[in-house]
Amino acid sequence: MGRLVVVSNRTPGKGPAAGGLAVALRQTLAEREGFWFGWSGKLVDIPEPHAQITDIDGLTVAQIDLTRDDHQAYYGGYSNSILWPSFHLRLDLATIEAHWYEGYRRVNTQFARALLPLLKPDDVIWVHDYHLIPLATELRNLGARNRIGFYLHIPFPTPDALYAIPHHQELMRDLSRYDLVGMQANRDVAAFTEFADHQTPSSLDGARVHSVDFSRTEVVAFPIGSDPDAFARLAVSPAATKMVRRVERTLADQRLILGVDRLDYSKGLPQRVEAYEKLLANDSRFRRQIHMLQVAPPSRDAIKEYQETSDTLDAVCGRVMGRFAEPDWQPLTYVKRAYGQPSLAGLYRLASVGLVTPLRDGMNLVAHEFIGAQDPTDPGVLILSRFAGAAEIFPDALLVNPFDTDETAEALRMALDMPLDERIARWTTLMASAQKHNVTDWAKHFLDHLAPAKVDHSSTRDVLYLASVA
Ligand code: G6P
């Protein structure tokens, strides 16, 4: 078996690996003697052409620096002001500056040039996320003949949203240069297939533009997961218990409604707080009995639309406080700070309700982690957006339309009133699904599928959905 080379914009840092993805890929890299390649996090005037190789807690990481201008065009510009909003169907929040594409392309070329000398012919390359869609093209242009797979962690857009992206035709051609493209959900594969089957390429001068040929690329849904059993252990660890004790003291007998999300407009945070406001307004018996905690670490805060989301959330939370708080009772707490996995696991376990209501989301791992952390004898209830990829694998959550705050308010009421036997029944099914879709198997399924010598996929067929792209 060849080595595995993982490529992503960010690389894992020192200390305990934060996410399940990093843990799972670290394990695979350790078994296959591979390495992780990505941006160092540093901005310099003139980057070295060669990657710096370091050992981070036993993991080999190769990193390159970027110039400030390229990083702005590639990360703040094309990736996060065009691709991110468009892929999340928020064209109203996209800033279409077509020239950012050049910086995006330049960085992908820089990645390829620095990566190529580190490759062996039988290495398998696994590229992650929307920042690096052109990487296979750039590597192939330099002569790489390796198997190259791509995984999209965010939703795939509808054809109309895709057509709104400058240079979408090149992007799709770039996707066709991968041997395997993995997506989060069947919904994403269906959107991709719709584009692939009904392409209407056009050019300003009316010249003929060829449709993209996807006949050599497999596009498959591999829903990512977490490690729910590890989360279950973490939720009763001393560090988690310390957080639980702190919060329990301030909650007294109030029941906790919890949200944990990056401060991103795709997460539907203002709508969520509005739904909570409606619950308090509609049903006075809940006042003084419940408390909402929203953890929202700041994200991409150099981008105007993120600052505006933060301001909107401040205003909505302020409104709810002004309307319902009393000198001795606050309806909600809102913290713009990141917490480590142990503290989060403790909070998940303490919560009566996990509120995971993004307007659109690739998967949403908070849903998986919330399920993993519950007490099996007294589990909390998961309220989940039907527009998160997770909705496909967790139909036993209370599924809501997050744009409809009346519906979310009603789901909150149902969750708070739900009898223990129903909570246990729902949670048991959710936990079984979280265990089945664990992150270790996810990585294995993807890599088995990408492997040069084809393996028998019969055992993974239930999570695969093959697009008819021939
Ligand atoms: C999403 C993306 C990841 C990204 C993460 C954090 O989950 O799919 O690729 O790393 O957000 O965003 P950031 O811009 O801080 O890397």
Side-chain angles (χ1 to χ4, degrees):
M1 198 192 320
R3 300 183 308 174
L4 170 65
V5 177
V6 174
V7 191
S8 59
N9 174 52
R10 293 187 192 272
T11 54
K14 279 197 175 7
L21 171 66
V23 175
L25 292 181
R26 258 170 184 272
Q27 264 172 21
T28 318
L29 284 168
E31 286 156 19
R32 293 179 60 160
E33 296 181 355
F35 63 95
W36 201 309
F37 186 97
W39 173 48
S40 62
K42 288 191 215 125
L43 299 176
V44 297
D45 290 337
I46 304 171
E48 290 290 331
H50 307 295
Q52 294 283 333
I53 299 180
T54 40
D55 181 282
I56 300 185
D57 300 332
L59 172 74
T60 307
V61 180
Q63 294 172 316
I64 54 167
D65 305 334
L66 298 176
T67 69
R68 190 169 296 279
D69 286 352
D70 276 355
H71 183 255
Q72 160 50 24
Y74 147 82
Y75 174 82
Y78 198 76
S79 294
N80 284 314
S81 295
I82 297 183
L83 295 183
W84 179 274
S86 310
F87 279 42
H88 286 84
L89 305 187
R90 293 305 303 269
L91 290 174
D92 56 321
L93 299 180
T95 306
I96 304 293
E97 298 262 7
H99 65 93
W100 282 332
Y101 178 72
E102 288 145 34
Y104 177 76
R105 200 88 222 175
R106 237 184 347 264
V107 169
N108 273 270
T109 311
Q110 192 188 332
F111 264 61
R113 287 196 181 132
L115 177 56
L116 192 81
L118 306 178
L119 293 179
K120 295 184 182 171
D122 63 345
D123 285 350
V124 168
I125 304 165
W126 189 0
V127 179
H128 289 262
D129 235 353
Y130 57 102
H131 317 85
L132 298 172
I133 294 172
L135 192 61
T137 304
E138 299 298 335
L139 285 167
R140 301 234 184 272
N141 288 348
L142 295 173
R145 295 287 167 265
N146 306 62
R147 298 280 296 172
I148 313 180
F150 178 81
Y151 191 81
L152 184 67
H153 289 258
I154 67 175
F156 193 81
T158 58
D160 278 353
L162 194 54
Y163 286 130
I165 297 172
H167 303 279
H168 63 268
Q169 187 78 6
E170 287 97 316
L171 274 187
M172 292 303 105
R173 214 174 290 287
D174 290 331
L175 269 188
S176 77
R177 307 297 300 277
Y178 288 93
D179 298 298
L180 175 63
V181 173
M183 306 227 177
Q184 295 275 21
N186 292 334
R187 152 202 84 177
D188 303 312
V189 178
F192 173 86
T193 307
E194 200 185 331
F195 172 84
D197 289 352
H198 305 285
Q199 297 175 58
T200 50
S202 64
S203 74
L204 269 187
D205 61 5
R208 196 170 131 70
V209 179
H210 289 290
S211 298
V212 182
D213 173 10
F214 290 106
S215 59
R216 281 183 301 279
T217 305
E218 258 190 299
V219 180
V220 179
F222 296 93
I224 198 172
S226 67
D227 184 344
D229 295 321
F231 243 81
R233 291 190 295 275
L234 198 59
V236 291
S237 65
T241 310
K242 199 167 148 202
M243 174 57 101
V244 169
R245 297 251 158 81
R246 267 174 67 192
V247 180
E248 261 176 348
R249 263 200 301 277
T250 53
L251 279 178
D253 288 334
Q254 298 165 76
R255 294 163 71 198
L256 180 65
I257 297 171
L258 176 67
V260 176
D261 309 79
R262 269 185 318 103
L263 217 176
D264 189 299
Y265 48 78
S266 66
K267 303 294 183 184
L269 298 176
Q271 289 86 345
R272 186 181 303 178
V273 179
E274 196 175 295
Y276 179 64
E277 180 180 21
K278 285 186 174 170
L279 175 76
L280 293 176
N282 297 345
D283 212 332
S284 57
R285 75 193 156 102
F286 288 122
R287 296 185 206 156
R288 295 181 162 273
Q289 304 301 314
I290 56 177
H291 187 87
M292 177 171 176
L293 168 60
Q294 178 62 53
V295 177
S299 177
R300 306 173 196 162
D301 45 13
I303 299 174
K304 180 171 78 41
E305 286 71 22
Y306 284 79
Q307 293 157 7
E308 287 169 358
T309 303
S310 177
D311 292 347
T312 307
L313 190 57
D314 289 354
V316 181
C317 289
R319 187 179 73 210
V320 175
M321 288 293 278
R323 188 167 170 199
F324 293 106
E326 296 185 47
D328 60 343
W329 181 62
Q330 284 81 44
L332 62 84
T333 304
Y334 163 35
V335 282
K336 283 188 191 172
R337 199 150 8 106
Y339 289 87
Q341 299 269 34
S343 299
L344 291 179
L347 290 174
Y348 292 141
R349 193 172 180 95
L350 186 60
S352 298
V353 182
L355 205 41
V356 181
T357 54
L359 304 180
R360 193 165 165 82
D361 214 332
M363 168 54 62
N364 196 299
L365 288 173
V366 169
H368 286 250
E369 293 169 356
F370 176 82
I371 293 165
Q374 294 311 300
D375 175 353
T377 65
D378 185 16
V381 178
L382 176 64
I383 297 180
L384 178 62
S385 163
R386 58 177 65 254
F387 305 124
E392 284 189 12
I393 58 174
F394 294 138
D396 284 280
L398 289 182
L399 295 184
V400 295
N401 165 10
F403 296 93
D404 181 348
T405 52
D406 289 309
E407 187 179 275
T408 309
E410 173 56 10
L412 277 167
R413 188 202 59 73
M414 282 172 66
L416 291 163
D417 285 341
M418 192 179 285
L420 179 63
D421 54 352
E422 185 180 346
R423 283 191 278 126
I424 291 178
R426 284 180 183 267
W427 175 80
T428 305
T429 320
L430 291 172
M431 185 63 172
S433 185
Q435 283 166 329
K436 179 175 165 204
H437 294 96
N438 69 80
V439 69
T440 308
D441 286 352
W442 166 81
K444 189 175 170 338
H445 289 158
F446 185 93
L447 290 170
D448 283 352
H449 217 86
L450 180 59
K454 281 282 176 194
V455 295
D456 172 17
H457 293 295
S458 53
S459 63
T460 61
R461 196 159 289 144
D462 53 348
V463 296
L464 302 180
Y465 176 86
L466 190 59
S468 51
V469 292

